[in-house]
Amino acid sequence: MTTTTARVGIIGCGNISRRYVEGMRRFPQLELVGCADLVQELADSLATDTGIRAYADIDGLLADTDIDIVVNITPPIAHATVTEQALAAGKHVYVEKPIAATVADATGMVEAAAREDRVLASAPDTFLGSAGQTARAAVDEGAIGEPIGAVAFVTHSKAETWHPDPGFLFRPGGGPTLDLGPYYITALVNLLGPVAEVTGFSRIGAPVRTVTAPGARADTIEVTTPTHAGATIRFASGAIGTLLFSFDVWDHHLPKIELYGTEGALALPDPNEYDGPVQLKRHADADWATLEPVLEPGGAPGDPVQYLRGHGVADLAAALHGAPLRASAELAFHVLEVLEAIETASSTSTVVPIASRPSRPEPSLLNAKDIAAHA
């Protein structure tokens, strides 16, 4: 692990930017320089609350030669424009999930990174936590035998009740597939490798949503993107996944992710969090057993620390000095291609082949606490 400091600027000072500021401050190799937003009041507020610099505009941040990495936390529809602008300014970029609103946009971003000889990385990075890495070790060690199938259930985040401006979640570039789906597909690719083909169906549930969050900036939202989707995916390995993505499933008794193999089953916690129990039950076992984490958990499930971000930015910073890039653009591109294929399959009633074939990311040996201790 390198101790060389990477200087970071944030573009996009909305609801989750504070999670990035607090989260990145856990990593000594990241030095947070400042922030910018199209809405100056948002940048000023973040700067005041966190003690960083607010730039007068995005161009000012990108012109600052002290900044090495730009963290792009703008809405998905703006990811491509802002990322390509940052790459052209000579910055490495870490972009929030999904990497872009469309595969076409993501293609342009990847091409721009190659053209500018810059590193592009993308959320989600939660698979780097103790739960994702413990499950990965179990699969790699053959704990469930040959993986045969998997299930994943993405249910309502109830954003209308806590996000003051959740409209982007119900427009193109949002929806449960692109908002929460990246956590689940990334977790599955980390465990089972790339996806080969997809089929499925989707629809809009309630056409109008009522916003009840404190400080809401709108009373209602018109829904213009599918909010309920079911899909079947075939991994290149031959394993088959059954998936549900929904903003219409408010209450349920569903698991988050389970894997089924020739010798047993593996149950994973919410992939939107870094930590949580990973449980194994072999066919001959009387009950489920909780596996010992291969990494020290950063915190308890549901604790606010689970929603801090920054591990992937530290992963990018280390990659600039020769470490493996795990939260890579190639992985995020593949995940987006899979998620976009669900809607394509629904509108065409076909099985959609997936062209990209990223390698599974290298296992991670260090969590946030370990990285700080080793810096």
Side-chain angles (χ1 to χ4, degrees):
M1 174 59 60
T2 179
T3 58
T4 302
T5 300
R7 295 171 297 276
V8 181
I10 293 174
I11 297 178
C13 303
N15 194 59
I16 69 168
S17 58
R18 286 160 178 78
R19 299 180 191 178
Y20 269 90
V21 173
E22 185 177 349
M24 286 190 289
R25 282 177 167 161
R26 297 174 298 170
F27 298 90
Q29 69 272 39
L30 299 177
E31 178 186 343
L32 191 55
V33 176
C35 62
D37 195 286
L38 288 177
V39 180
Q40 190 60 39
E41 290 80 1
L42 291 177
D44 291 341
S45 176
L46 179 62
T48 298
D49 291 348
T50 61
I52 63 176
R53 173 184 176 184
Y55 289 81
D57 53 33
I58 291 172
D59 288 340
L61 185 149
L62 294 179
D64 189 340
T65 57
D66 282 342
I67 292 177
D68 305 306
I69 297 172
V70 164
V71 176
N72 180 359
I73 326 177
T74 59
I77 201 71
H79 282 182
T81 299
V82 172
T83 294
E84 291 183 31
Q85 186 179 358
L87 292 168
K91 313 302 184 185
H92 307 286
V93 179
Y94 183 86
V95 60
E96 243 303 310
K97 54 79 192 166
I99 186 172
T102 67
V103 168
D105 283 348
T107 299
M109 294 163 66
V110 172
E111 291 174 348
R115 184 171 61 249
E116 302 294 343
D117 193 25
R118 300 290 88 184
V119 177
L120 175 61
S122 178
D125 61 3
T126 46
F127 72 95
L128 298 173
S130 68
Q133 294 304 306
T134 299
R136 170 66 178 268
V139 170
D140 289 354
E141 291 165 3
I144 63 170
E146 178 188 355
I148 301 299
V151 297
F153 296 98
V154 182
T155 56
H156 205 324
S157 64
K158 303 181 182 179
E160 301 101 305
T161 66
W162 58 266
H163 197 302
D165 191 16
F168 71 97
L169 295 173
F170 299 94
R171 295 191 289 266
T177 51
L178 291 187
D179 178 45
L180 295 172
Y183 296 108
Y184 290 75
I185 299 298
T186 301
L188 289 171
V189 173
N190 175 53
L191 297 172
L192 300 173
V195 175
E197 53 189 354
V198 173
T199 191
F201 294 96
S202 65
R203 58 162 289 180
I204 290 175
V208 177
R209 302 289 177 127
T210 301
V211 183
T212 60
R217 298 173 196 161
D219 295 327
T220 60
I221 299 167
E222 181 181 355
V223 179
T224 56
T225 197
T227 57
H228 188 89
T232 299
I233 63 177
R234 184 178 67 81
F235 294 86
S237 66
I240 296 172
T242 303
L243 314 174
L244 170 73
F245 305 87
S246 184
F247 282 166
D248 297 288
V249 176
W250 285 72
D251 304 289
H252 57 85
H253 292 292
L254 298 168
K256 295 296 185 181
I257 297 177
E258 291 185 351
L259 271 60
Y260 311 110
T262 55
E263 298 179 20
L266 198 66
L268 280 71
D270 188 346
N272 191 12
E273 302 185 13
Y274 294 91
D275 309 303
V278 177
Q279 296 187 304
L280 171 68
K281 188 177 186 299
R282 300 178 193 272
H283 293 334
D285 294 342
D287 206 348
W288 292 85
T290 299
L291 299 179
E292 186 71 22
V294 299
L295 300 175
E296 181 186 358
D303 188 278
V305 72
Q306 298 296 337
Y307 305 105
L308 299 182
R309 298 300 186 236
H311 202 147
V313 185
D315 182 66
L316 188 165
L320 299 179
H321 301 278
L325 180 63
R326 298 176 178 88
S328 67
E330 289 73 20
L331 174 60
F333 181 97
H334 178 71
V335 169
L336 177 61
E337 186 182 4
V338 171
L339 295 171
E340 188 175 281
I342 296 171
E343 182 57 27
T344 301
S346 179
S347 62
T348 60
S349 298
T350 60
V351 175
V352 180
I354 303 300
S356 58
R357 286 289 189 281
S359 300
R360 288 199 299 167
E362 291 286 330
S364 178
L365 302 178
L366 300 175
N367 65 11
K369 288 183 177 179
D370 295 325
I371 290 170
H374 283 74

